[in-house]
mmCIF file of all heavy atoms in Angstrom:
data_model
loop_
_atom_site.group_PDB
_atom_site.id
_atom_site.type_symbol
_atom_site.label_atom_id
_atom_site.label_comp_id
_atom_site.label_asym_id
_atom_site.label_seq_id
_atom_site.Cartn_x
_atom_site.Cartn_y
_atom_site.Cartn_z
ATOM 1 N N LEU A 11 0.620 -9.815 7.747
ATOM 2 C CA LEU A 11 0.966 -9.063 6.548
ATOM 3 C C LEU A 11 2.405 -8.595 6.697
ATOM 4 O O LEU A 11 2.744 -7.956 7.698
ATOM 5 C CB LEU A 11 0.034 -7.866 6.368
ATOM 6 C CG LEU A 11 -1.463 -8.180 6.310
ATOM 7 C CD1 LEU A 11 -2.286 -6.888 6.326
ATOM 8 C CD2 LEU A 11 -1.790 -8.985 5.073
ATOM 9 N N VAL A 12 3.233 -8.903 5.708
ATOM 10 C CA VAL A 12 4.650 -8.569 5.791
ATOM 11 C C VAL A 12 5.053 -7.760 4.571
ATOM 12 O O VAL A 12 5.080 -8.278 3.459
ATOM 13 C CB VAL A 12 5.515 -9.832 5.912
ATOM 14 C CG1 VAL A 12 6.989 -9.443 5.996
ATOM 15 C CG2 VAL A 12 5.100 -10.662 7.120
ATOM 16 N N GLU A 13 5.389 -6.488 4.815
ATOM 17 C CA GLU A 13 5.815 -5.604 3.731
ATOM 18 C C GLU A 13 7.315 -5.718 3.501
ATOM 19 O O GLU A 13 8.079 -6.003 4.439
ATOM 20 C CB GLU A 13 5.490 -4.136 4.051
ATOM 21 C CG GLU A 13 4.026 -3.830 4.274
ATOM 22 C CD GLU A 13 3.659 -3.830 5.746
ATOM 23 O OE1 GLU A 13 4.369 -4.487 6.542
ATOM 24 O OE2 GLU A 13 2.665 -3.184 6.110
ATOM 25 N N SER A 14 7.717 -5.464 2.273
ATOM 26 C CA SER A 14 9.140 -5.432 1.934
ATOM 27 C C SER A 14 9.339 -4.532 0.733
ATOM 28 O O SER A 14 8.370 -4.161 0.056
ATOM 29 C CB SER A 14 9.667 -6.838 1.646
ATOM 30 O OG SER A 14 8.996 -7.403 0.541
ATOM 31 N N GLY A 15 10.597 -4.176 0.484
ATOM 32 C CA GLY A 15 10.916 -3.414 -0.708
ATOM 33 C C GLY A 15 11.221 -1.951 -0.485
ATOM 34 O O GLY A 15 11.559 -1.231 -1.427
ATOM 35 N N GLY A 16 11.102 -1.489 0.742
ATOM 36 C CA GLY A 16 11.403 -0.091 1.012
ATOM 37 C C GLY A 16 12.882 0.200 0.884
ATOM 38 O O GLY A 16 13.707 -0.706 0.758
ATOM 39 N N GLY A 17 13.219 1.492 0.908
ATOM 40 C CA GLY A 17 14.621 1.857 0.822
ATOM 41 C C GLY A 17 14.822 3.344 0.721
ATOM 42 O O GLY A 17 13.880 4.129 0.864
ATOM 43 N N LEU A 18 16.071 3.712 0.459
ATOM 44 C CA LEU A 18 16.471 5.112 0.309
ATOM 45 C C LEU A 18 16.838 5.343 -1.146
ATOM 46 O O LEU A 18 17.633 4.589 -1.718
ATOM 47 C CB LEU A 18 17.659 5.397 1.222
ATOM 48 C CG LEU A 18 18.397 6.723 1.049
ATOM 49 C CD1 LEU A 18 17.478 7.893 1.392
ATOM 50 C CD2 LEU A 18 19.650 6.750 1.910
ATOM 51 N N LEU A 19 16.260 6.381 -1.741
ATOM 52 C CA LEU A 19 16.573 6.663 -3.132
ATOM 53 C C LEU A 19 16.383 8.142 -3.417
ATOM 54 O O LEU A 19 15.800 8.864 -2.602
ATOM 55 C CB LEU A 19 15.732 5.811 -4.072
ATOM 56 C CG LEU A 19 14.246 6.080 -4.217
ATOM 57 C CD1 LEU A 19 13.722 5.358 -5.459
ATOM 58 C CD2 LEU A 19 13.465 5.669 -3.011
ATOM 59 N N GLN A 20 16.852 8.560 -4.587
ATOM 60 C CA GLN A 20 16.750 9.960 -4.976
ATOM 61 C C GLN A 20 15.422 10.238 -5.660
ATOM 62 O O GLN A 20 14.778 9.329 -6.210
ATOM 63 C CB GLN A 20 17.903 10.316 -5.907
ATOM 64 C CG GLN A 20 19.267 10.335 -5.217
ATOM 65 C CD GLN A 20 20.356 10.882 -6.115
ATOM 66 O OE1 GLN A 20 20.321 10.714 -7.317
ATOM 67 N NE2 GLN A 20 21.335 11.535 -5.504
ATOM 68 N N ALA A 21 15.037 11.474 -5.635
ATOM 69 C CA ALA A 21 13.813 11.907 -6.299
ATOM 70 C C ALA A 21 13.861 11.526 -7.780
ATOM 71 O O ALA A 21 14.910 11.601 -8.416
ATOM 72 C CB ALA A 21 13.635 13.406 -6.147
ATOM 73 N N GLY A 22 12.700 11.098 -8.282
ATOM 74 C CA GLY A 22 12.603 10.667 -9.667
ATOM 75 C C GLY A 22 12.770 9.179 -9.855
ATOM 76 O O GLY A 22 12.488 8.649 -10.935
ATOM 77 N N GLY A 23 13.215 8.509 -8.824
ATOM 78 C CA GLY A 23 13.439 7.074 -8.905
ATOM 79 C C GLY A 23 12.170 6.261 -8.732
ATOM 80 O O GLY A 23 11.073 6.802 -8.531
ATOM 81 N N SER A 24 12.334 4.941 -8.820
ATOM 82 C CA SER A 24 11.216 4.008 -8.709
ATOM 83 C C SER A 24 11.509 2.941 -7.668
ATOM 84 O O SER A 24 12.675 2.613 -7.414
ATOM 85 C CB SER A 24 10.953 3.330 -10.057
ATOM 86 O OG SER A 24 10.575 4.256 -11.041
ATOM 87 N N LEU A 25 10.439 2.404 -7.136
ATOM 88 C CA LEU A 25 10.544 1.365 -6.111
ATOM 89 C C LEU A 25 9.292 0.518 -6.180
ATOM 90 O O LEU A 25 8.209 1.043 -6.485
ATOM 91 C CB LEU A 25 10.655 2.025 -4.731
ATOM 92 C CG LEU A 25 11.429 1.364 -3.605
ATOM 93 C CD1 LEU A 25 12.860 1.080 -4.019
ATOM 94 C CD2 LEU A 25 11.411 2.266 -2.370
#
Side-chain angles (χ1 to χ4, degrees):
L11 304 172
V12 180
E13 300 96 336
S14 61
L18 169 65
L19 71 165
Q20 291 188 328
S24 297
L25 211 56

